Amino acid sequence: SYEVVFNSALNHCSYQATPGTSGISSGPTGFIGLSPRSGNNRAVYISTRDTTGTLADLAFHLQVTCS
């Protein structure tokens, strides 16, 4: 699991995450769950799982869009 912290509050933001790497490969196969971080309105909580649903250390891309 990961916690990504930003410099400002994410109160009016949406988030999207996908498995991926910084290279040209297709990236890891798996699933990502994300949510606002409880107790920290500047953070997003991310969990990554392999194809069997087991927690796994997978690379990902995170996009945050705020209004």
Side-chain angles (χ1 to χ4, degrees):
S1 299
Y2 304 90
E3 178 180 66
V4 180
V5 180
F6 294 87
N7 292 329
S8 57
L10 303 174
N11 296 339
H12 302 286
C13 302
S14 63
Y15 346 101
Q16 179 180 351
T18 57
T21 64
S22 60
I24 59 172
S25 67
S26 61
T29 302
F31 305 99
I32 297 178
L34 63 154
S35 64
R37 185 66 169 154
S38 179
N40 186 351
N41 68 349
R42 297 182 307 116
V44 177
Y45 175 80
I46 301 167
S47 63
T48 57
R49 298 179 181 271
D50 64 20
T51 56
T52 68
T54 303
L55 285 173
D57 185 17
L58 302 177
F60 59 89
H61 299 281
L62 172 64
Q63 178 180 334
V64 177
T65 304
C66 302
S67 59

